[in-house]
């Protein structure tokens, strides 16, 4: 991307990761007035996971039109290249110290260290694997994550197999069910252990229903068979404790098993840095300015919490970049004064703190689907929600006027049924 | 492991030696799927070959690891007692150690245990400390032994299953695809298939039964939860489920012990996982299945006499190194020496080769050197600055080195470099490793396999219409 021999020893802001989060953060730091920004990615092309998402469905919120992943990435990249920015690709960030000394490795420059005024972490996420859910059975070739299959098909023109069972109804698996069907690979079914799907409703409709691919809820893969290559899998329904009922098991012939069982924020660097992590998101604890528990270290995107829409990634990252620049230029807004916590049917909340004098967007994930509900922010605000599912992030605008008469220092967010409060939904 | 150790031992002498292996990589039988413990020597009962060779083998590992540069660490072990009955067994184990003159074997009380291993179950009342025990990366040891042997003239034939052996007359004729091999001696180190190979020359012994063991690898997060390998108090039939700090700094729990009909049954099971975690938690309560990143199983080859079967047979020139169940890894160097000695007694001329190369350069692992050292390496070879596997920090230079040393498959790369062994289990680096393998050999991506024939990884678009998948 750039002649890396020009790498400076110091930058106002270093952005780790050049996915949508990294690009938006870099752009917004530059717009907010810092002079030198370095954006680093270990891949050869900027764009992050978007580069392998050749389907459309990106940008409806941010750009008001439907783009493919690479198109969405290109919009940001084009904007970035209008500014003066250093982009180091094929370059791995090995370490970031609390003093913001960043160690980089790339064939172009070898192992180098640069000092950063502020750091934005935007390393994205990795996929959960078979090992993480311990599917018993043999260990043949042909068991892979849906994201790896996506890379094979969309970026390398290869196919993962001829007949692929998909485990888990995460978005990547749904998108891949459609992609593979279009490529001529048979997809006998998608098996989901939960009683509800884990992907966006629009993906269930557009990727499964439209292609007659069956989705089996409350069903999981209990064994993998095959010595060299997958030959079949055993699937079984599960009870409400998620325990498989082996008496109702049957086998499905296939040569490939794709796991689409969720993403985990990529926080090795954050751990080395000693950032406080939130066990519910597996990402760093952040303030309303996306600052982590270390001064001058910000974070945005999937590294903080798993997003389903890239538009929210960009929004969050614009905020992180802006505040990284404010940090460097000594224009930091006043510190937050209210702590947010998850209440009924709320699995996670980001950011973890807010300030009563500004407007904030707060992102939530619910634990279980709920038909008609109230979203309650302590006693200060409530809002009707239509239908909430764990797969779709809920966002809430918190305006200063909600908090005019609030003098406490913490607020709990609950999502409760609209009729009888506290009643379990079927 | 046994074949690898014997092969290297034989290349010390002026001999023509061929190692014939059915898999495409060496060590891919039981030897890559075990607990990786070099047993301290005090656990095995006296009066068995297993018992004698474990301590003899143990003493050879330090030097072997130094010469061949594979991962080995003497981390010691602790065998723990929960009640007085257990303590009696511990006394016996400690006595076995003293009888064999094994240094440092002693019994600890609760205070010492809390001090040394604070994360153990607080109900543990005593433990035997076995400082001679160690951990090794068994696959690395196999690769290194064979690379050293090849450097000393070993003929290596991989992907070559032995299908028949003609005995009688003046020697033996081994059929393994391609030209048959004429030889004076055959050593049967075929692991779980040793019975099958012995039958090829008409022998009814040894008989081999399979006993499967499942192992579960945990995330690095738990790395320092114990320093030593933790053994429960053994029962007459089993060593039980252990908590093992592997050489690479992960924690492994296992192995189970389950009789299996199919000698190649390396499937893990839900029951095996549940048992393993329950029993491991009894030793170290902080262990949880949530931290599991990978699992595997191996099959122990148990001979009819429940002991190692090492030595000549009624068929002239046909030797066994069979029934090598646990602690076969530990005993391997001693088994190799014993067998070569026996071959000498049977008339093989053991003339030392003065030019024998005993050492092999230690492969560089970016993950285990300092940033300063890595910076220097990268100055000399920029491929050290390109990260291929981010979970385990494996660079492109290491991948190339592994290919130069003989890796031909994705698993061959993985077990030589750790690429794909970390928390993401190859999610990011699989495609890159495949590309590097393909580029080096001029093969297509669809020709790259996980571990040899039949384990293809991807198809070309034009292979979809064909009825057959590649083999
Ligand atoms: C298959 C799939 C389908 C999707 N479909 C849609 C959709 O239809 N519509 C939609 O709106 N959203 C969709 N999303 C969601 C959206 O794409 C993601 O939420 C978004 O890409 C996350 O952006 P990010 O920048 O946080 O992470 P990423 O895009 O993952 O980028 C992180 C970058 O950091 C780099 N990196 C990590 N560690 C290091 C390091 N140590 N050194 C250097 N670089 C490093 C990585 O190489 C990567 O390029 C989809 C996501 C996936 C995976
Ligand atoms: C779960 C488990 C845990 C263990 N833990 C330990 C431990 O911690 N410490 C310890 O000391 N020991 C341990 N052991 C025992 C140890 O793993 C074995 O003793 C050792 O690996 C045996 O080595 P081997 O060479 O005999 O067998 P293998 O490694 O199986 O080698 C036999 C080789 O012969 C090849 N072969 C078979 N048939 C043919 C044919 N017809 N033609 C050509 N090649 C053929 C196979 O492909 C294989 O590569 C454990 C075993 C298990 C199963």
């Amino acid at each position: 991307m750039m002649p890396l021999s020009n790498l400076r020893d110091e930058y106002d802001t270093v952005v780790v990761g050049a996915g949508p989060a990294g690009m938006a953060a870099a752009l917004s730091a530059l717009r907010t007035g810092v002079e030198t920004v370095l954006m680093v990615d270990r891949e050869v092309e900027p764009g992050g996971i978007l580069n392998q998402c050749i389907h459309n469905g990106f940008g409806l919120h941010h750009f008001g039109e439907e783009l493919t992943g690479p198109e969405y990435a290109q919009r940001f990249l084009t904007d970035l290249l209008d500014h003066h920015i250093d982009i180091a690709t094929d370059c791995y960030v090995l370490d970031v110290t609390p003093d913001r000394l960043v160690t980089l490795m790339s064939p172009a420059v070898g192992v180098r260290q640069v000092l950063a005024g502020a750091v934005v972490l935007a390393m994205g996420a990795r996929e959960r694997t078979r090992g993480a859910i311990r599917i018993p059975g043999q260990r043949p070739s042909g068991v892979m994550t849906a994201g790896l299959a996506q890379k094979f098909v969309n970026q390398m023109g290869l196919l993962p197999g001829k007949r692929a069972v998909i485990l888990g109804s995460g978005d990547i698996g749904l998108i891949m069910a459609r992609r593979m069907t279009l490529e001529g690979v048979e997809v006998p079914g998608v098996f989901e252990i939960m009683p509800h799907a884990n992907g966006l409703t629009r993906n269930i409709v557009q990727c499964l229903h439209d292609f007659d691919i069956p989705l089996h809820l409350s069903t999981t893969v209990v064994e993998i068979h095959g010595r060299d290559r997958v030959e079949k899998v055993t699937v079984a329904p599960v009870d409400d404790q998620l325990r498989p009922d082996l008496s109702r098991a049957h086998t499905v012939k296939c040569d490939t098993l794709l796991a689409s069982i969720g993403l985990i924020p990529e926080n090795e660097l954050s751990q080395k840095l000693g950032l406080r992590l939130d066990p519910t998101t597996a990402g760093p604890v952040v303030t309303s300015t996306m600052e982590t528990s270390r001064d001058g270290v910000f974070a945005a995107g999937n590294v903080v919490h798993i997003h389903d829409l890239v538009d929210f990634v960009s929004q969050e990252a614009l905020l992180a970049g802006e505040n990284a620049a404010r940090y460097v230029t000594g224009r930091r807004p006043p510190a937050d004064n209210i702590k947010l916590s998850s209440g009924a049917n709320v699995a996670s909340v980001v950011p973890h703190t807010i300030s009563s004098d500004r407007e904030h967007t707060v992102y939530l994930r619910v634990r279980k689907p709920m038909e008609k509900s109230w979203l309650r922010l302590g006693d200060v605000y409530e809002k009707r929600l239509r239908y909430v599912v764990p797969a779709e992030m809920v966002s809430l605008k918190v305006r200063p006027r909600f908090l005019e008469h609030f003098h406490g220092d913490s607020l709990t967010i609950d999502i409760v049924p609209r009729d009888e409060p506290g009643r379990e939904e079927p | 492991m046994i074949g690898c150790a014997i092969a290297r031992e034989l290349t010390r002498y002026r001999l023509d030696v061929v190692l014939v292996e059915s898999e495409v990589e060496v060590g891919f039988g039981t030897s890559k799927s075990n607990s990786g413990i070099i047993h301290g020597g005090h656990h095995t009962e006296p009066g068995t070959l297993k018992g004698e060779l474990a301590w003899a083998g143990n003493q050879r590992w330090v030097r072997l690891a130094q010469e061949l540069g594979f991962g080995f660490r003497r981390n010691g072990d602790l065998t723990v007692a929960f009640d007085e009955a257990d303590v009696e067994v511990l006394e016996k184990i400690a006595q076995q150690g003293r009888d064999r003159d094994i240094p440092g074997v002693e019994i600890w009380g609760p205070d010492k245990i809390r001090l040394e291993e604070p994360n153990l179950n607080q109900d543990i009342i005593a433990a035997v400390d076995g400082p001679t025990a160690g951990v090794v990366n068994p696959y690395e040891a196999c690769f290194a032994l064979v690379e050293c042997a090849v450097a000393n003239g070993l003929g290596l034939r991989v992907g070559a299953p032995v299908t028949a052996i003609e005995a009688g007359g003046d020697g033996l004729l081994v059929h393994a695809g391609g030209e048959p091999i004429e030889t004076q001696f055959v050593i049967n180190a075929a692991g779980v298939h040793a019975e099958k190979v012995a039958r090829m020359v008409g022998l009814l012994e040894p008989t081999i039964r399979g006993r499967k063991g499942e192992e579960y690898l945990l995330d690095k997060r738990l790395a320092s939860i114990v320093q030593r390998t933790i053994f429960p108090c053994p029962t007459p039939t089993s060593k039980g489920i252990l908590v093992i700090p592997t050489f690479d700094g992960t924690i492994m729990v296992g192995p189970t012990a389950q009789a299996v009909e199919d000698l190649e049954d390396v499937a893990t099971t839900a029951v095996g996982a549940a048992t393993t975690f329950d029993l491991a938690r009894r030793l170290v309560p902080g262990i949880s299945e949530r931290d599991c990143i990978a699992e595997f199983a191996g099959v122990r080859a148990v001979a009819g006499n429940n002991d190692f079967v090492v030595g000549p047979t009624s068929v002239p020139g046909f030797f066994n190194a069979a029934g090598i169940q646990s602690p076969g890894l530990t005993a391997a160097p001693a088994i190799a020496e014993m067998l070569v000695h026996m071959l000498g007694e049977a008339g093989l001329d053991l003339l030392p080769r003065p030019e024998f190369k005993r050492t092999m350069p230690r492969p560089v692992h970016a993950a285990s050197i300092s940033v300063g050292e890595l910076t220097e390496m990268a100055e000399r070879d920029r491929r050290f600055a390109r990260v291929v596997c981010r979970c385990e920090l494996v660079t492109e230079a290491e991948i190339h080195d592994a290919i130069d040393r003989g890796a031909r498959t994705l698993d061959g790369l993985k077990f030589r470099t750790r690429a794909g062994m970390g928390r993401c289990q190859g999610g990011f680096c699989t495609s890159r490793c495949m590309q590097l393998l393909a580029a080096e050999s001029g093969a297509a991506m669809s020709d790259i396999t996980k571990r040899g024939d039949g384990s293809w990884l991807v198809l070309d678009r034009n292979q979809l219409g064909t009825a057959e998948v590649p083999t």
Side-chain angles (χ1 to χ4, degrees), chain A residues 13 24-35 37 83 317-329 331:
Chain A
T13 303
L27 191 61
S28 131
L30 287 164
R31 285 181 181 156
T32 311
V34 295
E35 312 244 300
V37 173
H83 292 74
L318 289 170
L319 192 67
E322 178 192 331
N323 283 289
R326 287 174 173 278
Y327 177 87
V328 176
T329 52
R331 291 177 289 150

Side-chain angles (χ1 to χ4, degrees), chain A residues 42-43 49 90 92 94 103 105-113 123 125-127 129-142 144-145 147-148 151-154 156-162 179 183-185 223-224 226-229 255-256 266 268 271, chain B residues 23 216 219 264 266-270 273-274 277 289 292-297 371 374-375 378-379 382 384-388 390-391 393 395 423-428 430-431 434-435 445-446 450-451 453-461 463-469:
Chain A
R42 44 165 243 132
E43 297 296 332
I49 202 75
D90 195 5
Y92 179 79
L94 181 63
T103 308
M105 296 170 67
S106 97
V109 298
V111 182
R112 280 279 299 272
Q113 293 186 317
M123 288 89 73
R126 65 168 186 273
E127 293 178 277
T129 64
R130 169 192 179 179
I133 54 165
R134 283 184 299 113
I135 310 170
Q138 288 165 283
R139 307 189 58 73
S141 169
M144 65 185 97
T145 61
L148 177 58
K151 189 166 173 182
F152 280 139
V153 176
N154 292 350
M156 303 172 83
L158 298 164
L159 299 175
K162 292 187 174 186
R179 178 89 239 133
E183 294 284 346
V185 178
E223 189 167 357
I224 298 171
R227 181 187 187 268
D228 298 318
R229 179 76 195 191
D255 60 18
T256 305
E266 183 87 80
E268 276 65 42
Q271 267 159 353
Chain B
E23 301 285 332
Y216 293 82
D219 192 278
E264 291 189 356
V266 288
T268 51
T269 63
F277 281 97
E289 36 273 86
C292 182
I293 58 164
E295 60 209 34
F296 61 84
V371 173
L374 187 59
T375 310
E379 282 310 308
R382 279 293 160 87
F384 272 110
R386 181 177 277 137
V387 175
V388 174
R390 55 166 113 156
C391 303
L393 192 68
T395 65
R423 4 173 100 99
C424 93
Q425 289 288 299
F428 286 105
T430 296
S431 57
M434 287 172 65
Q435 282 173 324
M445 290 287 274
S446 53
K450 179 169 159 67
R451 54 163 178 261
D453 284 357
S455 63
W456 54 277
L457 289 151
V458 294
L459 301 176
D460 281 329
R461 280 202 163 90
Q463 283 174 299
L464 206 55
T466 61
E468 281 301 301
V469 291

